[in-house]
Amino acid sequence: MEKTGSSNSFLLETLDALGEDDLKRFKYKLKWIRPEKGYRAIPWGQLEKGDRMAVTDLLISHYGECYGVKVTVQVLRDISQRQLAERLTEAISADLLRQKQNSDTPKAPELGEEVDFNPEQESETRGHPEPEERDISQERRRATQGVLEKLNLKQYRSRQLRLRDLQEISPESRETWAPMTLGDLPWHFLRKLMALNGTARNTRLVHEATDDQETSEEQEVHIDYNNLSLSNMDSRNFLHSLDVLCAVLLCSDSFLQQEILSKMSMCQFALPLLLPALDTPKCTLLLWAMRDIVRKWRPHSLAESRGFREESLVLTSMPTISFVRLGSCSFSKSKLLNDILSLSQQPHDFFIHRDMESGNIPREIANGLVEISWYFPSGKASSDLFPEPVAVTNLRGDIESHWLQFSFLTAVSSAVFIVTESINERQYALLSSLQGSATKYYFIFNCKIEKPEETLGFLYKLESVLKLDKPSVLMRENTLNHAQFVEKLQFTIASPMESSLKRTSIADTAVTARELGIRVDEDCEECQSASKRVAGITAEIKDVAKYKREMLRLPGDRCTKLAKVEKELCRMQRQGDATIGLQASQQREEWLDLYTQQYKYELTDGMVKFIAGLGKLSQVETHYFLKWMKYHLGHIAQGNLSSLQADYKEKCHTRGDDPQHQAELHEPISSSPLGVEHFMRGLGQFYEAECAMMKEGKKLKTQRQLIHLPGIAADLMLEGFPLELIDGEVSNIPLQWVTDVLIQLHAKLRGRSRMLVLTVLGGQSTGKSTLLNTMFGLQFAVSSGQRTRGAFMSVIKVAENFRQELGCDFILVIDTEGLKAPELAKLEDSYQRDNELATLVIGLSDITIVNMAMENASNMQRVLQITLDTLLKMKKIRQHPNCQFVYQKVSDVSAHEQTTGDRYPLREPLDEITTAAACTEKGIRKMKFPGIIFNDAEKHNWYIPDLWHGVPPMAPVNLGYSKSVFELKKYLFEYIRRYSSNKPVKDIPQFSEWVRSLWNAIKHSNSTFSLRNSFVAHTYNQLCTKYSEWEWDFRKEMHLWVSEQETLIQNQPQAEIDHVALRRLKHEIQQKLQQEERRLLACLQEYIESGAANVLLTGKYKEDFIRSTNGLRKELRRYWFRKCEEALDSQSSPERLSHQIQAMNMKTMKGKEDGLLGHCRKRNLFSERDTFQKGIRIFCEECLRPALVDYVNRMLGIKIVDNFRRSAQGIGYANRSFFQFWLLSRLLEEMNFDGYVKYINNYEEFAKTWIWTHLLDHYKETRGVEDLETELLSTVIKKSREALEKSKTQTDFLGSFFKYLQRDLVISRDSLGRIQLINTINTNQFPTAVQGFLPALEQAILSQFKDLDVESKLSILPLKPQEEIFKHVFGCGKCCPFCKVPCEAEGTDHKIHFASVHRPQGLMKPRRVFLPCLAHGPKLDYSPCYFEWLIRDSHVHIGYHHCFCEDNNALRCCSPADSSYKTSNYWKFVFKEFSQQFAREYGTKPADLPRDWGNITQEQALKSLEEAFKGAISVPGQNWLQVVQKKPKVFP
C-alpha cells in the first residue's frame, strides 16, 4: 500500500493530545490487542519505554498506516477517548478524499474508502477476514444517493420532511394511493402508515398498460427459464421495502421519525434499532425515535390480580435475543422469527422476509440495518409464548460485513442465535474473538451442512471458546416439521430468559453504543439542551398532587368555584333574600376576589422555567422541550399512579367495601395525572387573571407580563400541538385565553384563515381520539391513563393547490372527553357537564362525528339522547351541523350490508327520543328524527371494525379499520367541498366571536338537560324491572332455604326441639336474610356504577330502593319467624308426641320378637319373602310416596312463579307501571263498565282476580305445570336413588337414608317404625329392592298429579303463586286519596308515591267524609285529580303541596319528573263513554262534560295511555302488544 506520509502526522497529533496517564493507559490497552492475521504484535518491552513519537513509529512499522489507524481508533475508544477517535477518523477520511479527487487514475482502496466486502477475494489477498466495518463507505454513499434519486427524496436531505408535511390536506389526501413510480413509494409508505394500514410496506408498483407495453409483452413470448432470475430483472423499477424505510428515515426530522416508529409499532412492524451508516461515519441508534412508544401488557406475575404494566418502551428492561447470519443461508431467518413471535392462531409478519411481496428484491442500502421487535404477554398462560416481555433483534446482512453491529448485539443481548450453514477457518477466527463474552451463543444449522467435516471440526473448537453445550446447537432436521422446529426454538429462547439475569432497556443500550462509536440520535445539542431544561423542572416534583396545587397554582376548589360563580353571575341562581341587583353585585365581587387571589401569587420557579422553555428557544428546541416534558411528566405520573393504586388496594382491603371510604381513597388517584396540558392550563389561568385585573383597572396594560403567551400557543398549534379549549378540570372555557390565541393564529396565517370545524362526540373509551389521529395524523392523547378531559383543538393546513376546491384554508379538529364518563358520573353536575360540552362542540362544528361503540348499547342510547337534544337547540338558532354516525367495533366484514335491516329499527328509538326532546324544548313542534337533521342511512352511518386484529398486546391494527376510516375521510372531504360551495365559511375572527357568544349563551342557560325529565320515567322503570328480578331472587332463595329448615325441623325427634333450637334457627334466618340483603344491594350498586341508572339514582331515589330492601328483609324475617315457630309447634304437638311414643313401643316390640322371627326365618322361606315385599311396599307407599308428593307441592309454587316470570306473558309483570298499563289497555279493549268500576273502587280484588285468571289461562293452554311437576319429581327421585345407594353399606339403613334426605323429604316416623318392626331380614337387599320400585312409584305419582286440574293443583299449594305475583305488582298499597289511583313506586317502603296517570275524581265512588275544600256537588265531578301527587299528569293545583289527609296520616308526595304532559285522554274517553253508567252506579247526576271530550276516540285514548306509560312499556326490540297479546279476559 502506498504511503501518503500524512497518517504519521495525524497519529502523532492524536497521541500528543493525550495526557501522561492517558498515554500509559493507551500503551497498556495496545499491549492486549490481538492483531489480525498477517500482522505482528508490538513487543511490550519496546512499547512500554516508547514516547509518543516512538509509539507512532511502532504502530506504522508493525501494522502499516491503514491498519495502524484502525488499531489506534479502537484503543482510543477502549480508553473512553471517543472524541479523539472521531477526530482522527474524520481527518484521515478527509485526507484520503482529497487525494482521490486529485487523482486521475484509480488507486487501491485506502482507509475510509470501503468497497463491497468479498470474503473469498480477501482470503486470497490477505489470508484473513476483515472483522470490522470501515468507517465511511464511499460505495454506500453512492448507493444511498442513488436510492434517494430513485425515490425523488434528494431535496429532503437539506430540508427534512416534517409531520406537518404529511398532515397537510392535498388532493392526494382523498385518493386511494397505488404507487406507479419509484418516486411514489415514500409517500405511499408514509400515508398508509399514518392511516395504520398494514400494507404500507408493500413496494410493488402498479403500471398503467400502454399500447407499446402490450406490443412488447406480446413479442416476449419466448422466455429462457434457465436464465430467469432476479439478476435479470431491471433493478431500476424495484426497491426493497427496507431500502425505502431507510431512505425515508434518513430524510425525516427526528419528530417525524418518532411518528413513523410509533405507527409501525401499532401495526406490529419490526422497528429499526440501528440505522446503517448511509451517509454518516457510523450507524445510528434510534433511541429518540422510539421515545413516544408506550406499551401495555400483563406479565404472568400479575395475572391473578388482573393487574397490568404500562411503560415507555425505551425504559422497559427485558431480555434481548438477537438473531444474526453467518455466511449464506438457504432459509429465511426473518420468516423464522415471525413464526417464533406469532401465536399459531394469530400469525403476523413482524419482519419483512423473502416470501413477502417485494421481499425478494435485493437490498441496496439496508444491509447492516438492525431491526427489533417484541413479545408482550397477555397474562394467559395457556396462550402466551413467554411469561415476560422479550425483545428480539434481527441483523440484516452477514456479520462478517457488519461486525460493528454484531459487536453491539453481543454486548446488549442475553443470547445470540447465529444462523449459518457452514463454518470455515476465517469465520472460526472471527468467532474466536468473542471468547470471554458473557452472552449465551446458539447456532442454528440447516439440515444439509456444507462441508460437514470442516464445520463440525470448527464447531468442536468453539465449544470451549464460546462455552457451547448440546442445546446450543440446533439443527433443522428432516424428522421435524417446521411447526415443531419453531416450538423447539421458542423453548430454547425461554431458557436464557429464565436463567439470565441480563435485562436491558433500549435507553441502557445507548451507553454501549457510544462506547462502540455508534451515533445515538438524541445526542444532538438541541435535544440534550432541552432535556437538561426539563430535568431542572421535573426534579422538583416529588408529590404530584402537591406540585399541581402549589407550583402550578391549580387549586381545584378555587378554579371550580370561579367557574361556578361565573355561571351563577349569568344565571342569577343564588338563593337568599337579597334583590337580584344586590345578588349580582355580591357575585361580581366574589368573582373578582377569586381572580385577585389567583393573580397575587408570583409565577413559581417551575412555571417560569416552563415559560422560558417555550419562549426563549428555537422552534426545534421548543419541540424537543415539550417532548421531553411529556416523557418526564408521564414517567413521574405513571410511577406515582402505580404507588397510589397499590395503596388504594391495600386500604380498600382493610377498610372494607364502604363506597364513601372508597371514593375518598380514590381521590388521590383522580388527582394523579400530570402532563404538559396541566402546565398549559396553568398558563391560561394566569393569563385570564392578568386580563381580568387589567379590565378592572387594577393593572396597567404596560405592566402585563404574559402578553406574549398567546403567540407562543399559536405557534405550537401550527406545529401540530393540540390546545385545550375546555378546561378538563372544571368544565369551563378560559375565554380570554382561547380568544387571544385564536387571534394570534389568525395573524400568523396572514389573515387567510377560512376554516371548517370538525368535532367528535361520544362515550368514553370508544376510540374517538384514535379515530381522529388515524384519519388526519394528529397527536391527541390516546394512551391508557390519558383519557381526554374537556376538549382540545388542533389545526390542519390545506395545501395551496387544494384550497380553492375545498373552500377553506384549514380544518379545525376538536376532540372531546367521553360523555357519561364513569369517573364523572357521580358528580352532582355530571348531566350539566355533558350537556354543556355537547352543546358547545356541536354548536361550533360544521361536521360532528357521533362516535359510538356497538358493544355498549345503553351508552350508545345516552349519547344519542344528548346529541339529539343539542341538535334541537341548534335548530332553534338555525344551526344545522352535519352529523356522521360512526359505530365502532363492528365484528363482521359484511356489517354494512347485514345492518341494513337494523338501521331502520334504529330509527324508531331515534324518533322516540327526538319526539320526547321536542316536547321539552320550547318553540319546537313535535317532530321525528329526520326533522332535526338530514340523515341518509346509506351515507351518514359508518360501521367500522375493531381497531385490533386479534388479542392485544400482540395484535396488529385491523386492516378493515384502516380502510373504513379512510373511506370516512374521503367522504368528509367530499362533503366539505360541497358544503363550502353552498354556504359561507367562517374565518378565525368570526369563529372566535361565535365561541364567545355560544359559551356565554350556555352560561346564561339555566336548563341542565331537558331530555333528562322526559327519560327519567324510562330509566326509573328499567331499574324497577331489574329490582323486581333481584327482589324475587331474594324471596325465592329464602323460600328454598326456609323450606329446607322446615323439613329439617319436622324430621327431628321431639327431644331435640327446644327453645335453644328455636333461637339458633332464628339467628340463622337472620344471618341468611342479611346475606341476601347484601347481595341485592350489591346488585343495585353494580347497576348504578355501570352507568345504566345514574340519570335517576341520585339522593332520595337510591335511598328509596335501599329502604325498600331493608323493608323486604324485615317483612321476610317476620314471615319466616312465624313459619318456623309453626313448624316447631307442629313438631311438639300431642298428636306428634303420640306418634313418637307408638314408634318407640313398636321398636321395643321389635326387639322382643327378634328371637321369634329368627326362628321362623329358618322354617318359612315363603313367609320371609312375603314379609320382605310387604316392608318394601310400606316403605314406598307410606314413607316415600307421601314425602315425594309433599316435596313437589312445596317446590311447585316457587317453580311456577319463576317459570311464569321468565315467560313471554311474564313481561306484563316486569314492574308496577307496566302492570298498570296492561290492566288499563285491556279494560279499554273490552270496554266493560263493571270492570272499570271494580278496578277503580276495589283495585286489590281486581288485581288478584286478574292474576289468578291469567295464571289459570296460561297453564291450562300449556303443559307447563305437568312439566314442572315432572322436573321436580325427577330431581327428588334422583336424590332418593343416590341416598339409597349411599345407604347400602350402612348397618342402620333406614337411619342413614333418613339422614341423607332430612332436608328434602318429610318422612313419616310411624311408617319407618312399622318397617323396622317387620323388616328384620335381608336388610342388605332392601335398598336395591326399593330402587327397583322407584320407576313404578314415579309413574304412579305422575298419574296422581294428572288426575287434578290446574285450578285444584294451584289451590292446594303451600306457596300460592298468585299471591307472590300479587305482592310484586301491588307494592306499598297506597292510593291517591283523591282519585284512588294506585302507587307505582317500586318497593314497599318509599317516601314518595307516584303513578303515571291520574283520573277525574268523579270516577271514584263518593266518600262519606269529605275534606271541606273538596266537597262535591250533586253532579259527577269531571275535574282532574286536584293533587300533584305523581309524575307526568298535569293537575289543577290548589295549594296542597306536600301532604294529604287519609286515615289521620300525613303522606309525603311530589312529582319527580316534569309535568308538561296534558291530562290523559284515556280517562276523558272512559268518562265520556260511561258517564251515564257512573252516575247510576254512584247515585248522582251525569257530569256536564266539555264538548271537545266527545271527539276523543278509542285509538286516541290508547295512544294517550301509551304516551303516559312510554317509560315503562318500551321493551327494546319488541312490540308491547305482540309480547302480551294473550291477555286474560276477566269480564266476559
Side-chain angles (χ1 to χ4, degrees), residues 41 84 131 168 178 207 258 270 429 479 503 598 633 828 1051 1087 1351:
L84 280 178
E168 188 175 75
H207 297 283
Q258 284 189 329
T479 57
R503 299 288 190 273
Q598 172 77 10
L633 295 175
E828 264 187 13
N1051 283 326
Y1087 185 77
E1351 185 171 356

Side-chain angles (χ1 to χ4, degrees), residues 237-293:
N237 295 324
F238 299 90
L239 268 181
H240 195 280
S241 304
L242 293 179
D243 290 334
V244 176
L245 173 62
C246 290
V248 168
L249 290 173
L250 185 66
C251 296
S252 302
D253 71 8
S254 57
F255 307 106
L256 178 55
Q257 287 181 356
Q258 284 189 329
E259 192 68 11
I260 290 172
L261 267 63
S262 295
K263 299 291 188 183
M264 290 179 68
S265 176
M266 291 185 69
C267 294
Q268 295 289 2
F269 295 164
L271 307 184
L273 177 65
L274 290 181
L275 198 64
L278 303 178
D279 61 352
T280 55
K282 294 289 183 181
C283 52
T284 303
L285 175 68
L286 298 181
L287 171 59
W288 172 261
M290 296 189 196
R291 285 274 180 191
D292 247 344
I293 304 174

Side-chain angles (χ1 to χ4, degrees), residues 89-90 93 111-114 134-138 141 280-281:
T89 301
E90 293 172 1
S93 301
L111 178 66
E113 221 178 275
E114 187 180 78
R134 301 185 183 278
D135 295 313
I136 298 178
S137 171
Q138 293 296 330
R141 281 191 173 186
T280 55

Side-chain angles (χ1 to χ4, degrees), residues 724-771:
E724 191 174 51
L725 173 63
I726 300 178
D727 186 328
E729 294 290 336
V730 296
S731 188
N732 183 52
I733 295 183
L735 202 56
Q736 192 63 53
W737 165 251
V738 170
T739 301
D740 289 354
V741 171
L742 290 174
I743 291 173
Q744 288 294 320
L745 183 63
H746 178 69
K748 292 178 183 295
L749 292 172
R750 298 180 181 177
R752 301 176 60 189
S753 63
R754 295 174 305 153
M755 58 187 290
L756 262 293
V757 182
L758 184 146
T759 64
V760 65
L761 198 66
Q764 189 181 86
S765 299
T766 54
K768 303 182 299 298
S769 302
T770 301
L771 177 69

Side-chain angles (χ1 to χ4, degrees), residues 12 70 83 126 128 154 174 538 702 749 872 881 998 1158 1358:
L12 184 57
K70 280 188 177 182
Q83 289 185 348
R126 295 186 53 180
H128 64 273
K154 288 192 70 174
R174 59 183 179 179
T538 58
T702 55
L749 292 172
L872 277 168
L998 185 58

Side-chain angles (χ1 to χ4, degrees), residues 989-1003:
Q990 292 170 329
F991 174 78
S992 178
E993 186 56 36
W994 177 233
V995 171
R996 182 186 297 275
S997 300
L998 185 58
W999 182 241
N1000 283 331
I1002 291 172
K1003 288 195 295 184

Side-chain angles (χ1 to χ4, degrees), residues 913-945:
I913 294 170
T914 305
T915 302
C919 290
T920 60
E921 281 296 326
K922 296 179 180 179
I924 296 290
R925 59 178 176 81
K926 287 188 177 181
M927 63 179 63
K928 294 188 176 181
F929 177 64
I932 304 179
I933 59 171
F934 173 73
N935 181 265
D936 187 324
E938 290 293 328
K939 295 181 179 179
H940 298 162
N941 295 283
W942 302 86
Y943 299 84
I944 297 180

